[in-house]
Structures are given as C-alpha cells and as structure tokens.
Amino acid sequence: MTSIAPAVAPKIVCFGETLFDLLPEGKQIGGAPLNVAYHFHQLGGLSSIVSRVGRDALGAELIQFVRENGLDSVALQKDDDLETGTVPVTFLNSLTPTYEIVSPVAWDQIEVNDAARRAVSSADAMVFGSLATRTSQNLKSLSSLLIDVKVRVLDVNLRAPFFTQSQIEALMRQADIVKVNDEEIHLIGKWYNWSGTDEELLRELYESLELKAAILTRGKNGAALMDSTGLHEHPGFKVTVADTIGAGDSFLAAFLYQYLRGVVPQRCLAYAGAVGALVASKTGGTPTYNESEVQAFLNAAKTNAKTVDQTY
C-alpha cells in the first residue's frame, strides 16, 4: 500500500455536513465529516473541517464544539439565510438508527474561499462523502477543492434519497481511497454487473477505479482492505454495543491516522477496528477517549483472544 509518512502529526481536511442529530434523549453534534475530523484529532492527528452553519444558536454551539475539541474551524463558514443542519433520529431497535435529513440547510451551500483552499493544500488527505453532494453548489465546490488534494478519500455513505448511481460513480472516479460497507459494495456491484463474494467485489472496485486502496466494513464479519499488496482482512472485536452512531466514521479516521503515518495494511485494519468497536461501546458519535485507551483495548483483546463478532 502506497502511503505517506509526514514528519509531524498527519493532517486531514473533511468536507461536508456539520449538524445536530436530534435523538430521543436530546441533541448531539454530528455529521460524518465532522465525526471523522473529531476522531482523527482524538487519536493525535490534526483536523480541519470545510462546512457551513447558520447564524443561529445551533451554529454558534457547533462552532464552539469544534474549537473546544481542537479542530481547525477557520474554514467553517456562516450562512446568513439557511439554518444549521439538523437530523431527527429514531431507532428501529435499540441499536439501529434511522435518519430524517432536513433540507435545505446551511451545509448545502459550502463555498470555495481562501480559508478552504489553504486548509486543503496543507492537508495530507481530504475526506468527503456522497451526502454533501446532494446540491449542485457543494458538488461544484468539492470538485474545485479536490484539484489541490494529495490523497482523496471517499466514504460512500449512501443516504436515500440523496444519491444517484451517476453521482456516486463520478465521486468514485475522483477518489484515491474508497470506503464502502457490505450493503454498499453489493449495490455498486449490481450497477456494474459484478458478481462474487464481498472480497471479489472489493477487488473489482479497487481494480476498475485504479485506486490506492479500497476498504470494506462488514459489521460482525470485520473489515477488509484491497491495495497494491493484495487483500488484507481483520475479523474485528467483540464488544457490548451502546449504539452505532459514529462507529464507521471513527473506523475511517483511525485507518487514515495509521495509513498516513506509513503503517502496514494489517495493522491499519486492526487499529481501525479497535477504535470503531471502542466507539460503538460508548454512547453517541463523538465520545471522549484517547490513544492510550485504544492501546489498552487492543492489548486486552490480545490477552483475552475472544471470538470476534463485532466491528465497524
């Protein structure tokens, strides 16, 4: 796997939605790009967020959260007309959330300005997802910013009804690394008339798009990675799940934190799986933890050598 090993802490910039999840027990700050930025910083990296909030109480609270948690807010824009994004969340069962993503909101109108360009040009990688490109404004802004990016990372993160096949195909063609879950890889496989196992579909994705890496998360069956050195798999970690909000985002953040430091693929997967499982064992998408807690989790898993049944 081709990787970058910066002399200082690696830096990512995340483009897209910043919002509040409106849970039954109250509101929580979220949005996949913000979650990835938060977790990357929790682990020791540097994070910047390119997004937009309203000039309202929720926007002020979100900006305060970003700053208090050590994320670079210089490219976090304010909108005079649209409100800060909200997403009412309900649960199909005790673990599985469903989302009602309000539209239009401030993060639908992200602009390209000097602050955004500086954030992107100084980063080792840029993370983006499909949801933020539900508007032509954001799609235009993203395409402009991707020109200056060292490593372009797409978290497919499909959210109906805010995607089309042509939209996802175009985004994948602009990426160096693509992350999908087990449902998304099968949908993409149908689009291209691919067939076979998850691993075979992952190889098709990697080879057809000429990616640096393709990552597959598959719930209780762990995670897999395809890169120039071949297929790598990790079965995951057994945890008692509090909820799954932000677990996939923390997995991606942890993977990138290792990848950008030149860590070998198998260790990237193990570390990312540990962080995802640790976050799933906590409530909410942005729980507090640190690198020492992750290492303790990994050491305990090695010692106990339990049968694996959960990862993200």
PDB file of all heavy atoms in Angstrom, residues 139-174:
ATOM      1  N   LEU A 139     -21.329  20.192  -4.948  1.00  0.00           N
ATOM      2  CA  LEU A 139     -20.619  19.368  -5.926  1.00  0.00           C
ATOM      3  C   LEU A 139     -19.591  20.203  -6.672  1.00  0.00           C
ATOM      4  O   LEU A 139     -18.448  19.772  -6.891  1.00  0.00           O
ATOM      5  CB  LEU A 139     -21.611  18.752  -6.906  1.00  0.00           C
ATOM      6  CG  LEU A 139     -21.055  17.741  -7.905  1.00  0.00           C
ATOM      7  CD1 LEU A 139     -20.374  16.582  -7.185  1.00  0.00           C
ATOM      8  CD2 LEU A 139     -22.163  17.231  -8.813  1.00  0.00           C
ATOM      9  N   LYS A 140     -19.957  21.428  -7.016  1.00  0.00           N
ATOM     10  CA  LYS A 140     -19.036  22.335  -7.685  1.00  0.00           C
ATOM     11  C   LYS A 140     -17.873  22.698  -6.770  1.00  0.00           C
ATOM     12  O   LYS A 140     -16.704  22.695  -7.189  1.00  0.00           O
ATOM     13  CB  LYS A 140     -19.789  23.593  -8.119  1.00  0.00           C
ATOM     14  CG  LYS A 140     -18.918  24.640  -8.804  1.00  0.00           C
ATOM     15  CD  LYS A 140     -19.738  25.877  -9.172  1.00  0.00           C
ATOM     16  CE  LYS A 140     -18.873  26.959  -9.788  1.00  0.00           C
ATOM     17  NZ  LYS A 140     -19.671  28.178 -10.112  1.00  0.00           N
ATOM     18  N   SER A 141     -18.178  23.012  -5.501  1.00  0.00           N
ATOM     19  CA  SER A 141     -17.130  23.385  -4.543  1.00  0.00           C
ATOM     20  C   SER A 141     -16.173  22.227  -4.301  1.00  0.00           C
ATOM     21  O   SER A 141     -14.952  22.404  -4.262  1.00  0.00           O
ATOM     22  CB  SER A 141     -17.752  23.837  -3.225  1.00  0.00           C
ATOM     23  OG  SER A 141     -18.482  25.034  -3.400  1.00  0.00           O
ATOM     24  N   LEU A 142     -16.723  21.033  -4.127  1.00  0.00           N
ATOM     25  CA  LEU A 142     -15.888  19.858  -3.885  1.00  0.00           C
ATOM     26  C   LEU A 142     -14.955  19.594  -5.051  1.00  0.00           C
ATOM     27  O   LEU A 142     -13.750  19.370  -4.865  1.00  0.00           O
ATOM     28  CB  LEU A 142     -16.774  18.639  -3.622  1.00  0.00           C
ATOM     29  CG  LEU A 142     -16.043  17.307  -3.469  1.00  0.00           C
ATOM     30  CD1 LEU A 142     -15.124  17.315  -2.253  1.00  0.00           C
ATOM     31  CD2 LEU A 142     -17.041  16.152  -3.370  1.00  0.00           C
ATOM     32  N   SER A 143     -15.489  19.614  -6.250  1.00  0.00           N
ATOM     33  CA  SER A 143     -14.667  19.345  -7.438  1.00  0.00           C
ATOM     34  C   SER A 143     -13.523  20.344  -7.557  1.00  0.00           C
ATOM     35  O   SER A 143     -12.399  19.990  -7.935  1.00  0.00           O
ATOM     36  CB  SER A 143     -15.541  19.383  -8.694  1.00  0.00           C
ATOM     37  OG  SER A 143     -16.517  18.365  -8.663  1.00  0.00           O
ATOM     38  N   SER A 144     -13.800  21.605  -7.203  1.00  0.00           N
ATOM     39  CA  SER A 144     -12.763  22.634  -7.253  1.00  0.00           C
ATOM     40  C   SER A 144     -11.670  22.376  -6.227  1.00  0.00           C
ATOM     41  O   SER A 144     -10.481  22.496  -6.527  1.00  0.00           O
ATOM     42  CB  SER A 144     -13.393  24.006  -7.019  1.00  0.00           C
ATOM     43  OG  SER A 144     -12.417  25.019  -6.980  1.00  0.00           O
ATOM     44  N   LEU A 145     -12.059  21.989  -5.021  1.00  0.00           N
ATOM     45  CA  LEU A 145     -11.086  21.771  -3.950  1.00  0.00           C
ATOM     46  C   LEU A 145     -10.262  20.502  -4.161  1.00  0.00           C
ATOM     47  O   LEU A 145      -9.099  20.436  -3.759  1.00  0.00           O
ATOM     48  CB  LEU A 145     -11.800  21.703  -2.605  1.00  0.00           C
ATOM     49  CG  LEU A 145     -12.392  23.018  -2.093  1.00  0.00           C
ATOM     50  CD1 LEU A 145     -13.239  22.778  -0.846  1.00  0.00           C
ATOM     51  CD2 LEU A 145     -11.293  24.041  -1.801  1.00  0.00           C
ATOM     52  N   LEU A 146     -10.841  19.492  -4.778  1.00  0.00           N
ATOM     53  CA  LEU A 146     -10.135  18.221  -4.962  1.00  0.00           C
ATOM     54  C   LEU A 146      -8.915  18.347  -5.858  1.00  0.00           C
ATOM     55  O   LEU A 146      -8.039  17.475  -5.842  1.00  0.00           O
ATOM     56  CB  LEU A 146     -11.089  17.164  -5.528  1.00  0.00           C
ATOM     57  CG  LEU A 146     -12.084  16.554  -4.542  1.00  0.00           C
ATOM     58  CD1 LEU A 146     -13.060  15.636  -5.263  1.00  0.00           C
ATOM     59  CD2 LEU A 146     -11.359  15.788  -3.437  1.00  0.00           C
ATOM     60  N   ILE A 147      -8.837  19.417  -6.622  1.00  0.00           N
ATOM     61  CA  ILE A 147      -7.701  19.609  -7.530  1.00  0.00           C
ATOM     62  C   ILE A 147      -6.393  19.685  -6.755  1.00  0.00           C
ATOM     63  O   ILE A 147      -5.343  19.224  -7.221  1.00  0.00           O
ATOM     64  CB  ILE A 147      -7.907  20.879  -8.373  1.00  0.00           C
ATOM     65  CG1 ILE A 147      -9.120  20.710  -9.287  1.00  0.00           C
ATOM     66  CG2 ILE A 147      -6.654  21.204  -9.194  1.00  0.00           C
ATOM     67  CD1 ILE A 147      -9.522  21.984 -10.018  1.00  0.00           C
ATOM     68  N   ASP A 148      -6.433  20.263  -5.552  1.00  0.00           N
ATOM     69  CA  ASP A 148      -5.211  20.514  -4.784  1.00  0.00           C
ATOM     70  C   ASP A 148      -4.939  19.471  -3.698  1.00  0.00           C
ATOM     71  O   ASP A 148      -4.099  19.693  -2.825  1.00  0.00           O
ATOM     72  CB  ASP A 148      -5.300  21.903  -4.124  1.00  0.00           C
ATOM     73  CG  ASP A 148      -5.420  23.023  -5.143  1.00  0.00           C
ATOM     74  OD1 ASP A 148      -4.773  22.918  -6.210  1.00  0.00           O
ATOM     75  OD2 ASP A 148      -6.150  23.988  -4.885  1.00  0.00           O
ATOM     76  N   VAL A 149      -5.610  18.327  -3.738  1.00  0.00           N
ATOM     77  CA  VAL A 149      -5.528  17.349  -2.656  1.00  0.00           C
ATOM     78  C   VAL A 149      -4.465  16.293  -2.931  1.00  0.00           C
ATOM     79  O   VAL A 149      -4.329  15.804  -4.051  1.00  0.00           O
ATOM     80  CB  VAL A 149      -6.907  16.664  -2.456  1.00  0.00           C
ATOM     81  CG1 VAL A 149      -6.833  15.584  -1.397  1.00  0.00           C
ATOM     82  CG2 VAL A 149      -7.948  17.698  -2.075  1.00  0.00           C
ATOM     83  N   LYS A 150      -3.711  15.919  -1.884  1.00  0.00           N
ATOM     84  CA  LYS A 150      -2.687  14.877  -2.019  1.00  0.00           C
ATOM     85  C   LYS A 150      -3.318  13.483  -2.104  1.00  0.00           C
ATOM     86  O   LYS A 150      -2.984  12.685  -2.962  1.00  0.00           O
ATOM     87  CB  LYS A 150      -1.722  14.944  -0.834  1.00  0.00           C
ATOM     88  CG  LYS A 150      -0.914  16.235  -0.746  1.00  0.00           C
ATOM     89  CD  LYS A 150       0.036  16.181   0.436  1.00  0.00           C
ATOM     90  CE  LYS A 150       0.869  17.458   0.549  1.00  0.00           C
ATOM     91  NZ  LYS A 150       0.049  18.600   1.014  1.00  0.00           N
ATOM     92  N   VAL A 151      -4.217  13.174  -1.168  1.00  0.00           N
ATOM     93  CA  VAL A 151      -4.915  11.885  -1.152  1.00  0.00           C
ATOM     94  C   VAL A 151      -6.406  12.160  -0.975  1.00  0.00           C
ATOM     95  O   VAL A 151      -6.812  12.791  -0.002  1.00  0.00           O
ATOM     96  CB  VAL A 151      -4.415  10.970  -0.013  1.00  0.00           C
ATOM     97  CG1 VAL A 151      -5.196   9.659  -0.005  1.00  0.00           C
ATOM     98  CG2 VAL A 151      -2.926  10.696  -0.158  1.00  0.00           C
ATOM     99  N   ARG A 152      -7.212  11.688  -1.905  1.00  0.00           N
ATOM    100  CA  ARG A 152      -8.655  11.947  -1.911  1.00  0.00           C
ATOM    101  C   ARG A 152      -9.389  10.704  -1.403  1.00  0.00           C
ATOM    102  O   ARG A 152      -9.288   9.634  -2.000  1.00  0.00           O
ATOM    103  CB  ARG A 152      -9.104  12.308  -3.320  1.00  0.00           C
ATOM    104  CG  ARG A 152      -8.404  13.543  -3.880  1.00  0.00           C
ATOM    105  CD  ARG A 152      -8.588  13.673  -5.378  1.00  0.00           C
ATOM    106  NE  ARG A 152      -7.927  12.568  -6.091  1.00  0.00           N
ATOM    107  CZ  ARG A 152      -7.951  12.416  -7.416  1.00  0.00           C
ATOM    108  NH1 ARG A 152      -8.587  13.291  -8.167  1.00  0.00           N
ATOM    109  NH2 ARG A 152      -7.336  11.399  -7.981  1.00  0.00           N
ATOM    110  N   VAL A 153     -10.130  10.878  -0.316  1.00  0.00           N
ATOM    111  CA  VAL A 153     -10.744   9.748   0.373  1.00  0.00           C
ATOM    112  C   VAL A 153     -12.264   9.880   0.332  1.00  0.00           C
ATOM    113  O   VAL A 153     -12.830  10.820   0.906  1.00  0.00           O
ATOM    114  CB  VAL A 153     -10.283   9.665   1.845  1.00  0.00           C
ATOM    115  CG1 VAL A 153     -10.876   8.430   2.523  1.00  0.00           C
ATOM    116  CG2 VAL A 153      -8.760   9.661   1.922  1.00  0.00           C
ATOM    117  N   LEU A 154     -12.941   8.937  -0.328  1.00  0.00           N
ATOM    118  CA  LEU A 154     -14.398   8.944  -0.420  1.00  0.00           C
ATOM    119  C   LEU A 154     -14.996   7.909   0.523  1.00  0.00           C
ATOM    120  O   LEU A 154     -14.719   6.717   0.416  1.00  0.00           O
ATOM    121  CB  LEU A 154     -14.843   8.628  -1.851  1.00  0.00           C
ATOM    122  CG  LEU A 154     -16.343   8.363  -2.041  1.00  0.00           C
ATOM    123  CD1 LEU A 154     -17.177   9.583  -1.686  1.00  0.00           C
ATOM    124  CD2 LEU A 154     -16.629   7.886  -3.465  1.00  0.00           C
ATOM    125  N   ASP A 155     -15.810   8.378   1.466  1.00  0.00           N
ATOM    126  CA  ASP A 155     -16.660   7.490   2.255  1.00  0.00           C
ATOM    127  C   ASP A 155     -18.017   7.509   1.575  1.00  0.00           C
ATOM    128  O   ASP A 155     -18.749   8.496   1.659  1.00  0.00           O
ATOM    129  CB  ASP A 155     -16.762   8.005   3.693  1.00  0.00           C
ATOM    130  CG  ASP A 155     -17.583   7.079   4.584  1.00  0.00           C
ATOM    131  OD1 ASP A 155     -18.099   6.056   4.079  1.00  0.00           O
ATOM    132  OD2 ASP A 155     -17.716   7.372   5.788  1.00  0.00           O
ATOM    133  N   VAL A 156     -18.361   6.430   0.881  1.00  0.00           N
ATOM    134  CA  VAL A 156     -19.558   6.419   0.038  1.00  0.00           C
ATOM    135  C   VAL A 156     -20.806   6.816   0.841  1.00  0.00           C
ATOM    136  O   VAL A 156     -21.586   7.670   0.436  1.00  0.00           O
ATOM    137  CB  VAL A 156     -19.728   5.045  -0.626  1.00  0.00           C
ATOM    138  CG1 VAL A 156     -21.057   4.966  -1.357  1.00  0.00           C
ATOM    139  CG2 VAL A 156     -18.587   4.811  -1.619  1.00  0.00           C
ATOM    140  N   ASN A 157     -21.041   6.186   1.972  1.00  0.00           N
ATOM    141  CA  ASN A 157     -22.020   6.655   2.966  1.00  0.00           C
ATOM    142  C   ASN A 157     -23.363   7.022   2.348  1.00  0.00           C
ATOM    143  O   ASN A 157     -23.838   8.159   2.468  1.00  0.00           O
ATOM    144  CB  ASN A 157     -21.428   7.854   3.729  1.00  0.00           C
ATOM    145  CG  ASN A 157     -22.152   8.134   5.031  1.00  0.00           C
ATOM    146  OD1 ASN A 157     -22.771   7.250   5.613  1.00  0.00           O
ATOM    147  ND2 ASN A 157     -22.078   9.368   5.492  1.00  0.00           N
ATOM    148  N   LEU A 158     -24.009   6.062   1.691  1.00  0.00           N
ATOM    149  CA  LEU A 158     -25.258   6.320   0.981  1.00  0.00           C
ATOM    150  C   LEU A 158     -26.404   6.630   1.936  1.00  0.00           C
ATOM    151  O   LEU A 158     -26.629   5.912   2.909  1.00  0.00           O
ATOM    152  CB  LEU A 158     -25.627   5.112   0.119  1.00  0.00           C
ATOM    153  CG  LEU A 158     -24.622   4.719  -0.968  1.00  0.00           C
ATOM    154  CD1 LEU A 158     -25.144   3.536  -1.759  1.00  0.00           C
ATOM    155  CD2 LEU A 158     -24.305   5.893  -1.882  1.00  0.00           C
ATOM    156  N   ARG A 159     -27.126   7.702   1.643  1.00  0.00           N
ATOM    157  CA  ARG A 159     -28.285   8.118   2.429  1.00  0.00           C
ATOM    158  C   ARG A 159     -29.429   8.425   1.465  1.00  0.00           C
ATOM    159  O   ARG A 159     -29.490   9.487   0.857  1.00  0.00           O
ATOM    160  CB  ARG A 159     -27.958   9.355   3.275  1.00  0.00           C
ATOM    161  CG  ARG A 159     -26.969   9.105   4.404  1.00  0.00           C
ATOM    162  CD  ARG A 159     -27.597   8.290   5.536  1.00  0.00           C
ATOM    163  NE  ARG A 159     -26.690   8.105   6.648  1.00  0.00           N
ATOM    164  CZ  ARG A 159     -25.915   7.043   6.829  1.00  0.00           C
ATOM    165  NH1 ARG A 159     -25.926   6.070   5.915  1.00  0.00           N
ATOM    166  NH2 ARG A 159     -25.127   6.937   7.870  1.00  0.00           N
ATOM    167  N   ALA A 160     -30.346   7.477   1.317  1.00  0.00           N
ATOM    168  CA  ALA A 160     -31.510   7.691   0.449  1.00  0.00           C
ATOM    169  C   ALA A 160     -32.360   8.820   1.025  1.00  0.00           C
ATOM    170  O   ALA A 160     -32.503   8.939   2.249  1.00  0.00           O
ATOM    171  CB  ALA A 160     -32.322   6.400   0.363  1.00  0.00           C
ATOM    172  N   PRO A 161     -32.951   9.668   0.165  1.00  0.00           N
ATOM    173  CA  PRO A 161     -32.940   9.615  -1.307  1.00  0.00           C
ATOM    174  C   PRO A 161     -31.885  10.532  -1.929  1.00  0.00           C
ATOM    175  O   PRO A 161     -32.035  10.954  -3.076  1.00  0.00           O
ATOM    176  CB  PRO A 161     -34.343  10.134  -1.629  1.00  0.00           C
ATOM    177  CG  PRO A 161     -34.555  11.209  -0.594  1.00  0.00           C
ATOM    178  CD  PRO A 161     -33.878  10.694   0.665  1.00  0.00           C
ATOM    179  N   PHE A 162     -30.802  10.829  -1.187  1.00  0.00           N
ATOM    180  CA  PHE A 162     -29.865  11.863  -1.608  1.00  0.00           C
ATOM    181  C   PHE A 162     -28.685  11.316  -2.400  1.00  0.00           C
ATOM    182  O   PHE A 162     -27.545  11.754  -2.199  1.00  0.00           O
ATOM    183  CB  PHE A 162     -29.368  12.635  -0.386  1.00  0.00           C
ATOM    184  CG  PHE A 162     -30.469  13.309   0.382  1.00  0.00           C
ATOM    185  CD1 PHE A 162     -30.783  12.891   1.667  1.00  0.00           C
ATOM    186  CD2 PHE A 162     -31.196  14.343  -0.178  1.00  0.00           C
ATOM    187  CE1 PHE A 162     -31.795  13.509   2.383  1.00  0.00           C
ATOM    188  CE2 PHE A 162     -32.217  14.965   0.531  1.00  0.00           C
ATOM    189  CZ  PHE A 162     -32.519  14.550   1.810  1.00  0.00           C
ATOM    190  N   PHE A 163     -28.930  10.374  -3.310  1.00  0.00           N
ATOM    191  CA  PHE A 163     -27.850   9.936  -4.195  1.00  0.00           C
ATOM    192  C   PHE A 163     -28.435   9.305  -5.448  1.00  0.00           C
ATOM    193  O   PHE A 163     -29.583   8.851  -5.467  1.00  0.00           O
ATOM    194  CB  PHE A 163     -26.921   8.933  -3.483  1.00  0.00           C
ATOM    195  CG  PHE A 163     -27.536   7.575  -3.252  1.00  0.00           C
ATOM    196  CD1 PHE A 163     -27.430   6.564  -4.208  1.00  0.00           C
ATOM    197  CD2 PHE A 163     -28.223   7.296  -2.079  1.00  0.00           C
ATOM    198  CE1 PHE A 163     -27.995   5.308  -4.000  1.00  0.00           C
ATOM    199  CE2 PHE A 163     -28.790   6.046  -1.864  1.00  0.00           C
ATOM    200  CZ  PHE A 163     -28.680   5.049  -2.817  1.00  0.00           C
ATOM    201  N   THR A 164     -27.628   9.297  -6.495  1.00  0.00           N
ATOM    202  CA  THR A 164     -27.957   8.598  -7.728  1.00  0.00           C
ATOM    203  C   THR A 164     -26.748   7.781  -8.148  1.00  0.00           C
ATOM    204  O   THR A 164     -25.622   8.028  -7.697  1.00  0.00           O
ATOM    205  CB  THR A 164     -28.302   9.572  -8.871  1.00  0.00           C
ATOM    206  OG1 THR A 164     -27.139  10.370  -9.178  1.00  0.00           O
ATOM    207  CG2 THR A 164     -29.457  10.497  -8.480  1.00  0.00           C
ATOM    208  N   GLN A 165     -26.950   6.820  -9.015  1.00  0.00           N
ATOM    209  CA  GLN A 165     -25.840   5.999  -9.492  1.00  0.00           C
ATOM    210  C   GLN A 165     -24.791   6.855 -10.183  1.00  0.00           C
ATOM    211  O   GLN A 165     -23.586   6.714  -9.923  1.00  0.00           O
ATOM    212  CB  GLN A 165     -26.353   4.933 -10.458  1.00  0.00           C
ATOM    213  CG  GLN A 165     -25.246   4.055 -11.041  1.00  0.00           C
ATOM    214  CD  GLN A 165     -25.770   2.980 -11.972  1.00  0.00           C
ATOM    215  OE1 GLN A 165     -26.958   2.633 -11.924  1.00  0.00           O
ATOM    216  NE2 GLN A 165     -24.905   2.456 -12.822  1.00  0.00           N
ATOM    217  N   SER A 166     -25.212   7.753 -11.050  1.00  0.00           N
ATOM    218  CA  SER A 166     -24.242   8.576 -11.782  1.00  0.00           C
ATOM    219  C   SER A 166     -23.450   9.467 -10.844  1.00  0.00           C
ATOM    220  O   SER A 166     -22.247   9.698 -11.049  1.00  0.00           O
ATOM    221  CB  SER A 166     -24.963   9.426 -12.835  1.00  0.00           C
ATOM    222  OG  SER A 166     -25.911  10.294 -12.227  1.00  0.00           O
ATOM    223  N   GLN A 167     -24.095   9.974  -9.796  1.00  0.00           N
ATOM    224  CA  GLN A 167     -23.420  10.816  -8.809  1.00  0.00           C
ATOM    225  C   GLN A 167     -22.318  10.032  -8.095  1.00  0.00           C
ATOM    226  O   GLN A 167     -21.184  10.506  -7.960  1.00  0.00           O
ATOM    227  CB  GLN A 167     -24.436  11.327  -7.794  1.00  0.00           C
ATOM    228  CG  GLN A 167     -23.845  12.023  -6.576  1.00  0.00           C
ATOM    229  CD  GLN A 167     -24.856  12.116  -5.439  1.00  0.00           C
ATOM    230  OE1 GLN A 167     -25.946  11.565  -5.514  1.00  0.00           O
ATOM    231  NE2 GLN A 167     -24.481  12.808  -4.374  1.00  0.00           N
ATOM    232  N   ILE A 168     -22.642   8.819  -7.635  1.00  0.00           N
ATOM    233  CA  ILE A 168     -21.670   8.008  -6.901  1.00  0.00           C
ATOM    234  C   ILE A 168     -20.533   7.573  -7.813  1.00  0.00           C
ATOM    235  O   ILE A 168     -19.359   7.582  -7.419  1.00  0.00           O
ATOM    236  CB  ILE A 168     -22.354   6.782  -6.261  1.00  0.00           C
ATOM    237  CG1 ILE A 168     -23.469   7.233  -5.309  1.00  0.00           C
ATOM    238  CG2 ILE A 168     -21.332   5.934  -5.517  1.00  0.00           C
ATOM    239  CD1 ILE A 168     -23.027   8.198  -4.233  1.00  0.00           C
ATOM    240  N   GLU A 169     -20.851   7.212  -9.037  1.00  0.00           N
ATOM    241  CA  GLU A 169     -19.810   6.827  -9.980  1.00  0.00           C
ATOM    242  C   GLU A 169     -18.833   7.971 -10.220  1.00  0.00           C
ATOM    243  O   GLU A 169     -17.607   7.765 -10.269  1.00  0.00           O
ATOM    244  CB  GLU A 169     -20.443   6.386 -11.302  1.00  0.00           C
ATOM    245  CG  GLU A 169     -21.166   5.047 -11.210  1.00  0.00           C
ATOM    246  CD  GLU A 169     -21.865   4.681 -12.505  1.00  0.00           C
ATOM    247  OE1 GLU A 169     -22.052   5.577 -13.360  1.00  0.00           O
ATOM    248  OE2 GLU A 169     -22.237   3.508 -12.671  1.00  0.00           O
ATOM    249  N   ALA A 170     -19.349   9.188 -10.358  1.00  0.00           N
ATOM    250  CA  ALA A 170     -18.476  10.346 -10.581  1.00  0.00           C
ATOM    251  C   ALA A 170     -17.591  10.609  -9.372  1.00  0.00           C
ATOM    252  O   ALA A 170     -16.400  10.919  -9.515  1.00  0.00           O
ATOM    253  CB  ALA A 170     -19.331  11.576 -10.897  1.00  0.00           C
ATOM    254  N   LEU A 171     -18.137  10.478  -8.171  1.00  0.00           N
ATOM    255  CA  LEU A 171     -17.351  10.688  -6.965  1.00  0.00           C
ATOM    256  C   LEU A 171     -16.255   9.638  -6.828  1.00  0.00           C
ATOM    257  O   LEU A 171     -15.119   9.952  -6.449  1.00  0.00           O
ATOM    258  CB  LEU A 171     -18.259  10.654  -5.731  1.00  0.00           C
ATOM    259  CG  LEU A 171     -19.234  11.818  -5.567  1.00  0.00           C
ATOM    260  CD1 LEU A 171     -20.153  11.573  -4.371  1.00  0.00           C
ATOM    261  CD2 LEU A 171     -18.503  13.143  -5.405  1.00  0.00           C
ATOM    262  N   MET A 172     -16.578   8.387  -7.129  1.00  0.00           N
ATOM    263  CA  MET A 172     -15.581   7.325  -7.018  1.00  0.00           C
ATOM    264  C   MET A 172     -14.424   7.537  -7.992  1.00  0.00           C
ATOM    265  O   MET A 172     -13.275   7.231  -7.667  1.00  0.00           O
ATOM    266  CB  MET A 172     -16.236   5.956  -7.248  1.00  0.00           C
ATOM    267  CG  MET A 172     -17.181   5.534  -6.136  1.00  0.00           C
ATOM    268  SD  MET A 172     -17.664   3.773  -6.205  1.00  0.00           S
ATOM    269  CE  MET A 172     -18.445   3.680  -7.823  1.00  0.00           C
ATOM    270  N   ARG A 173     -14.731   8.069  -9.160  1.00  0.00           N
ATOM    271  CA  ARG A 173     -13.677   8.313 -10.148  1.00  0.00           C
ATOM    272  C   ARG A 173     -12.717   9.421  -9.697  1.00  0.00           C
ATOM    273  O   ARG A 173     -11.592   9.505 -10.193  1.00  0.00           O
ATOM    274  CB  ARG A 173     -14.288   8.665 -11.504  1.00  0.00           C
ATOM    275  CG  ARG A 173     -14.906   7.483 -12.234  1.00  0.00           C
ATOM    276  CD  ARG A 173     -15.189   7.821 -13.683  1.00  0.00           C
ATOM    277  NE  ARG A 173     -16.201   8.866 -13.821  1.00  0.00           N
ATOM    278  CZ  ARG A 173     -17.506   8.635 -13.921  1.00  0.00           C
ATOM    279  NH1 ARG A 173     -17.967   7.383 -13.892  1.00  0.00           N
ATOM    280  NH2 ARG A 173     -18.354   9.640 -14.060  1.00  0.00           N
ATOM    281  N   GLN A 174     -13.151  10.264  -8.762  1.00  0.00           N
ATOM    282  CA  GLN A 174     -12.303  11.346  -8.257  1.00  0.00           C
ATOM    283  C   GLN A 174     -11.497  10.936  -7.023  1.00  0.00           C
ATOM    284  O   GLN A 174     -10.718  11.732  -6.505  1.00  0.00           O
ATOM    285  CB  GLN A 174     -13.165  12.562  -7.903  1.00  0.00           C
ATOM    286  CG  GLN A 174     -13.878  13.187  -9.085  1.00  0.00           C
ATOM    287  CD  GLN A 174     -14.685  14.407  -8.685  1.00  0.00           C
ATOM    288  OE1 GLN A 174     -14.158  15.511  -8.553  1.00  0.00           O
ATOM    289  NE2 GLN A 174     -15.969  14.212  -8.471  1.00  0.00           N
TER     290      GLN A 174
END
